[in-house]
Amino acid sequence: MMKKKTLWLILAVFSAFGAIVGPFASIGGDMGVGEVVQGTIGCAALAVVFYILWKKADPAARFQRRKKNGLPSAYVSIDIETTGLSPQRDNIIELGAVKIVNGKPREQFSQLIYPGMPIPALITQLTGITDADLQGQPDLRAVLPAFAAFIGKNPIIGHNLGFDIGFINAVLAAAGTKPLGSPTVDTLPLARQAYPSLPNHKLETIIQALGIADKEAHRATDDALRTAQVYETIRKQTKFPIR
């Protein structure tokens, strides 16, 4: 089965070929000048669209584009702890964020969240957070405005960031609120590119390999800070251009 990346490239090439050859092939034919021009523009437009789709389907191209555009040096690194893995069935129990400017932590945001459901024993074992810890804590809807204000217009950094953003935006959507709109940078694909020889690219594996910590804390603010340290190491060691 042909991969999408290959399909987009083939279609882009054929469309570009049509835009270039089409006008010459139409010479002496029944088509008017206006029809030839429209056909040429149409083929050229399709070539551009298919080229863009090809670039988006290429992880290496996305990585190169990040290198060209630079990586932010001022941002907010975030992390969450949850009752499970599903944004539809589970809830957030802790929000954490660290504001970083030029590699240095400036401010922190840390808040336990009442999930409205018992915490599974495995999550308590992993995080150390108990049901008793969450009694009397605010629910997520009450906390999100302050969390969004803390982020502001800063880029958001996270490890496997789609997981965190997915949970947060699910709650925002249920409340009829716009999703987080800040630009994002996920350290997971960056780490895969920067350290391809690692056995896996879990946060714990990376921080051990880089000498940042012996293990993942599984507490939101602590892991947000460790994610920022991973990001800063990648940003500096790989000599990305900085904006």
Side-chain angles (χ1 to χ4, degrees), residues 61 66 92 165 185 221 227 239:
R66 286 197 184 281
I92 294 174
I165 296 293
V185 178
T221 304
T227 298
K239 302 186 185 302

Side-chain angles (χ1 to χ4, degrees), residues 112-160:
L112 291 172
I113 307 293
Y114 179 68
M117 62 188 297
I119 301 177
L122 178 62
I123 300 301
T124 293
Q125 181 180 356
L126 189 67
T127 65
I129 299 172
T130 66
D131 289 314
D133 293 329
L134 303 183
Q135 291 298 319
Q137 298 293 341
D139 66 24
L140 185 59
R141 291 189 184 187
V143 173
L144 279 179
F147 184 69
F150 180 83
I151 294 172
K153 295 182 179 180
N154 291 293
I156 299 172
I157 307 294
H159 195 75
N160 193 21

Side-chain angles (χ1 to χ4, degrees), residues 106-239:
R106 295 296 176 87
E107 297 180 67
Q108 292 188 359
F109 182 101
S110 181
Q111 179 64 59
L112 291 172
I113 307 293
Y114 179 68
M117 62 188 297
I119 301 177
L122 178 62
I123 300 301
T124 293
Q125 181 180 356
L126 189 67
T127 65
I129 299 172
T130 66
D131 289 314
D133 293 329
L134 303 183
Q135 291 298 319
Q137 298 293 341
D139 66 24
L140 185 59
R141 291 189 184 187
V143 173
L144 279 179
F147 184 69
F150 180 83
I151 294 172
K153 295 182 179 180
N154 291 293
I156 299 172
I157 307 294
H159 195 75
N160 193 21
L161 188 55
F163 176 82
D164 306 77
I165 296 293
F167 264 90
I168 294 168
N169 283 344
V171 175
L172 291 173
T177 306
K178 292 181 179 179
L180 294 176
S182 296
T184 60
V185 178
D186 192 336
T187 55
L188 177 56
L190 289 181
R192 285 173 176 160
Q193 291 288 338
Y195 311 114
S197 62
L198 290 179
N200 61 66
H201 294 86
K202 297 177 181 178
L203 181 60
E204 183 166 293
T205 302
I206 298 167
I207 61 178
Q208 288 174 348
L210 297 179
I212 292 171
D214 292 331
K215 61 181 181 178
E216 191 175 349
H218 292 291
R219 294 302 300 264
T221 304
D222 290 339
D223 285 339
L225 180 58
R226 289 173 181 179
T227 298
Q229 291 173 301
V230 169
Y231 172 79
E232 288 296 326
T233 302
I234 295 173
R235 188 172 72 89
K236 293 173 182 177
Q237 287 186 352
T238 53
K239 302 186 185 302

